[in-house]
Amino acid sequence: MEKTFYIETFGCQMNAHDSEKVVGTLLNTGYTQVETPEAANYIFYNTCSIRDKAEQKVFNRLQHLKNSGKNKVLAVLGCVAQQEGEKIFDRAPHVNMVVGSASYTKLPQLLVQIEQGDKRVTGLSLDTTETFDTPFTRRDNPHRAYITIIEGCDKNCSYCVVPFTRGPERSRTSESVLEEARRVAGLGYTEIQLLGQNVNSYRDPSAAGWDFSALLDAVGKVPGIRRVRFMTSHPRDFVKSIIDVIDENENLCNHVHLPVQSGSTSVLAGMQRSYSRDEYMRRIEWMKNAKRDISITTDIIVGFPGETERDFEDTLDLLEEVQYESLFAFKYSQRPNTGALKLGDHIPEEEKTRRIMILQERQRAIQLRRNADRVGRVEQVHVEGRHASLNQWIGRTSQNQTLNFSGRDTDTLLGDYVPVRVTRAGPNSLVGDAVV
Ligand code: SAH
Ligand code: SF4
Ligand code: F3S
């Protein structure tokens, strides 16, 4: 059978980057990538299970392939694979491979088993100290290179499946991270995003024993690298030295994504987030007192079991207090195996919708205000694309804002860094003119 494969990826940046590594591994083993499932003999879905809707999407895809996928090899990777395991074969009997992210190092070997005629193979062990690194990573994004520094999660937030789907925390050695950073710099990348479910609990397993701040600083000093971002930070492990290195090293972007989830200390306790509102606010104060103007973004869950109107108002009030740059808001979704299951899910869907809409409206007003204050400022942007119809370049600021601009009519700006004066502001992006 011709070794053609198609891959579709759902979920977070960790999954997106895992797919880049899987693609690289497959290409290196003699497979060819094609653009549609129809053209492929091997179909991979790299799946997400963070909320029920994400999981349903995958089963819909599999349902579609019930007939057309008969003579193909169908593989389910990622978080739904790990969560559901062999039960996937019962729900979708035409699936041939079920592999969680902690087993990707075994992919080539599992594919050999399929080529030798096995109809069903699995990679579901979470009992691992390995990370999935490969020199063959095929990066999709030409402007920003993702680099995993830590896999898995040892927290037990009561709503979250990730500890079950990605296994225990495993950090890479600082030397292997730096070696990859130097490699992507050699390929022409100037921006790196360090990835982990909780980058703050990074601990170098080698004798060097670096913590996250030391690693972040060192990546920002790799020759050729001009910008370093990181995702995600857990407030509990977010220490002041992170702000100190951002203050001292201009190559580290002045943006921190610090998911709060709720502004109510009692809801935070139910979520087992292991910090109070005050403890969270202390971290915000560090950032507000920093030398650099650090933009702060967050994630919020509405409708967690037990969230009263008062708790919800505490969250609205927190938005005003912090003045976030932007946020992602989610309606609570019950997930298998998680601690919060026993609390039920008693807040009706309509009420969750009402709360999320109020929250988003409040945040929109904050963003409009913040962005209006930026008019007249000059920001250095990294050019990531072009809106041909608007005759504008798409740029991103160090604070992670989109700043589209005109005023330079060459066709060679992609990947460049350009100073841009902000002339207009919307709730979600800025518009400006290149400073010549
Ligand atoms: N490791 C990251 C989060 C990964 S999941 C962190 O700790 O911040 C991304 C976001 O999805 C979470 O921050 C949370 O806001 C949301 N989320 C996770 N589980 C959820 C659930 N069961 N229902 C609704 N939103 C959820
Ligand atoms: Fe999930 Fe909490 Fe781990 Fe984030 S820190 S991945 S929310 S368990
Ligand atoms: Fe989804 Fe797994 Fe990421 S559940 S959000 S793909 S870690």
Side-chain angles (χ1 to χ4, degrees):
M1 189 158 76
E2 209 191 340
K3 292 175 161 188
T4 46
F5 74 94
Y6 167 81
I7 186 165
E8 182 175 0
T9 308
F10 305 85
C12 62
Q13 283 157 335
M14 296 284 286
N15 252 21
H17 185 43
D18 279 348
S19 286
E20 294 179 330
K21 297 188 226 176
V22 168
V23 168
T25 305
L26 293 173
L27 293 173
N28 185 56
T29 357
Y31 289 73
T32 312
Q33 189 170 12
V34 295
E35 293 304 315
T36 61
E38 292 74 28
N41 285 323
Y42 291 74
I43 299 176
F44 293 84
Y45 289 125
N46 190 3
T47 63
C48 172
S49 146
I50 199 79
R51 285 166 290 275
D52 187 55
K53 267 204 191 117
E55 180 177 345
Q56 292 319 320
K57 233 186 242 170
V58 175
F59 285 104
N60 290 341
R61 288 287 195 287
L62 294 175
Q63 184 63 24
H64 273 299
L65 287 172
K66 210 166 181 180
N67 298 317
S68 60
K70 268 203 179 110
N71 298 316
K72 302 179 191 261
V73 173
L74 204 51
V76 180
L77 309 180
C79 292
V80 177
Q82 190 68 51
Q83 176 192 298
E84 294 299 302
E86 299 193 355
K87 279 187 277 174
I88 292 179
F89 296 131
D90 301 332
R91 262 178 94 171
H94 48 308
V95 168
N96 309 92
M97 288 178 86
V98 177
V99 185
S101 68
S103 304
Y104 291 164
T105 47
K106 298 199 186 73
L107 264 180
Q109 183 190 325
L110 294 169
L111 282 163
V112 168
Q113 289 175 11
I114 290 276
E115 284 154 26
Q116 289 172 345
D118 281 6
K119 290 287 172 246
R120 285 180 173 177
V121 301
T122 56
L124 293 168
S125 170
L126 283 180
D127 180 19
T128 180
T129 51
E130 279 178 344
T131 53
F132 176 44
D133 319 321
T134 160
F136 305 114
T137 304
R138 251 331 146 93
R139 291 188 156 81
D140 275 340
N141 186 326
H143 305 292
R144 186 183 317 149
Y146 293 133
I147 298 184
T148 312
I149 61 166
I150 176 169
E151 289 182 2
C153 181
D154 284 350
K155 292 278 179 290
N156 56 352
C157 305
S158 65
Y159 51 82
C160 185
V161 282
V162 172
F164 307 98
T165 65
R166 291 200 163 249
E169 280 177 359
R170 291 96 70 199
S171 292
R172 275 173 80 178
T173 63
S174 52
E175 191 39 48
S176 93
V177 172
L178 287 172
E179 195 266 326
E180 189 168 4
R182 290 190 285 263
R183 183 147 29 94
V184 297
L187 291 171
Y189 281 96
T190 58
E191 181 168 328
I192 285 175
Q193 179 157 345
L194 302 178
L195 293 179
Q197 289 302 336
N198 178 8
V199 290
N200 309 138
S201 49
Y202 174 82
R203 274 290 170 284
D204 185 354
S206 70
W210 291 10
D211 65 4
F212 176 62
S213 314
L215 183 71
L216 180 63
D217 193 33
V219 173
K221 288 178 176 152
V222 168
I225 295 306
R226 297 180 63 171
R227 282 192 174 176
V228 185
R229 303 183 182 281
F230 55 94
M231 190 85 114
T232 297
S233 291
H234 189 290
R236 169 89 210 186
D237 306 322
F238 189 84
V239 291
K240 170 111 182 350
S241 59
I242 300 172
I243 305 296
D244 297 339
V245 294
I246 294 176
D247 262 348
E248 296 310 320
N249 185 343
E250 283 277 340
N251 285 351
L252 307 180
C253 288
N254 47 344
H255 167 224
V256 173
H257 185 65
L258 198 64
V260 67
Q261 314 300 356
S262 169
S264 151
T265 294
S266 71
V267 172
L268 288 171
M271 289 176 165
Q272 285 169 218
R273 285 291 282 181
S274 62
Y275 53 83
S276 64
R277 178 184 173 127
D278 287 349
E279 284 165 328
Y280 181 85
M281 282 311 298
R282 204 167 312 143
R283 275 112 184 121
I284 299 294
E285 288 312 313
W286 294 339
M287 289 190 258
K288 303 252 181 202
N289 293 330
K291 287 185 231 157
R292 295 178 69 197
D293 180 8
I294 298 179
S295 76
I296 309 165
T297 56
T298 202
D299 293 346
I300 286 179
I301 298 176
V302 299
F304 185 78
E307 184 189 66
T308 62
E309 189 61 32
R310 178 72 207 274
D311 293 320
F312 175 61
E313 276 165 20
D314 285 347
T315 301
L316 294 178
D317 177 67
L318 183 87
L319 301 194
E320 299 295 342
E321 204 174 333
V322 178
Q323 297 280 305
Y324 289 108
E325 190 72 49
S326 69
L327 60 76
F328 295 106
F330 307 101
K331 295 182 202 172
Y332 174 66
S333 166
Q334 270 192 315
R335 305 309 294 134
N337 309 317
T338 58
L341 271 183
K342 64 176 186 298
L343 305 176
D345 184 14
H346 60 88
I347 299 184
E349 183 64 20
E350 312 82 74
E351 179 57 18
K352 289 180 186 167
T353 305
R354 188 187 72 86
R355 291 183 190 180
I356 206 168
M357 286 175 69
I358 294 175
L359 186 97
Q360 282 167 337
E361 207 174 295
R362 284 285 187 97
Q363 179 58 25
R364 188 185 148 89
I366 292 171
Q367 288 175 206
L368 263 173
R369 232 176 18 239
R370 284 181 66 90
N371 288 348
D373 284 347
R374 293 198 162 97
V375 172
R377 280 196 356 199
V378 174
E379 297 277 356
Q380 190 79 2
V381 303
H382 185 192
V383 184
E384 291 182 343
R386 178 151 179 89
H387 278 304
S389 58
L390 298 173
N391 206 18
Q392 273 179 349
W393 294 101
I394 304 169
R396 186 172 297 278
T397 68
S398 174
Q399 292 189 323
N400 206 31
Q401 277 212 314
T402 304
L403 169 47
N404 298 331
F405 66 100
S406 25
R408 289 261 185 109
D409 292 322
T410 74
D411 46 24
T412 53
L413 281 189
L414 285 182
D416 283 3
Y417 289 79
V418 176
V420 176
R421 186 178 310 280
V422 180
T423 54
R424 275 187 292 135
N428 298 312
S429 63
L430 305 167
V431 179
D433 291 321
V435 177
V436 277

